[in-house]
Amino acid sequence: MNLGGTAHRGGHPPHELIGDEMRNGQSDVSATIGELMGEALLRGPLAPNEDFFDCGGDSVRAVDVLQRLVDICRPTGPEAAEALRSTLLETIFEDATPDGLAAVCAAHATVPGPVGGGQRH
C-alpha cells in the first residue's frame, strides 16, 4: 500500500487534508465517510448517524471502507497509519456511522477530503 503516492483504489486520487468544518449540520469528515460507505454499498451517501451494517454492509465491505479511509487520510508514517487502521477497525464494529468514524479521524488528527476531490456545493 502506498499512502503517499498518487495511485488509489477505486479510481480516486488521495485527497489533501481539510478542516473539519460544518456544512448543513454535517462535518466534512462525516460527509466524506458517508460517501465512502455509500460507494461500498452501491448507493448514495450515508447520513451522519446511519449505520453501515443496518444499510446492508458486511465485514468485507467495512474493511474496504476503512482501508480507503486510511488511504485518503494519509497519516504520517506507517506507525500512525497502523494506529488509525486499528482504531477504525475497533470502532466500526461499535459505531458504524459516518459520525462515529469521523470522531476517530479527528482524534488521530487525520482528516480526509471529499471523495470526488472537488468542492462541495
Side-chain angles (χ1 to χ4, degrees):
M1 174 175 73
N2 181 4
L3 294 177
T6 57
H8 184 270
R9 292 182 352 187
H12 297 291
H15 303 284
E16 296 300 317
L17 302 183
I18 62 170
D20 186 14
E21 299 190 16
M22 297 298 285
R23 294 184 190 216
N24 299 323
Q26 183 177 12
S27 74
D28 287 342
V29 178
S30 180
T32 297
I33 295 169
E35 290 176 28
L36 289 173
M37 289 177 160
E39 286 178 5
L41 297 172
L42 304 174
R43 56 160 272 181
L46 272 66
N49 292 313
E50 203 167 4
D51 187 277
F52 178 75
F53 296 109
D54 288 347
C55 292
D58 56 36
S59 59
V60 173
R61 288 184 178 142
V63 169
D64 184 54
V65 167
L66 298 183
Q67 185 57 51
R68 290 184 64 203
L69 185 54
V70 170
D71 287 349
I72 65 172
C73 283
R74 297 176 12 184
T76 306
E79 291 173 6
E82 186 55 37
L84 176 60
R85 184 179 299 107
S86 176
T87 305
L88 286 169
L89 186 59
E90 289 175 17
T91 301
I92 200 164
F93 292 107
E94 296 171 6
D95 183 359
T97 64
D99 277 355
L101 296 183
V104 171
C105 291
H108 282 262
T110 55
V111 183
V115 173
Q119 295 284 10
R120 289 185 213 280
H121 299 281

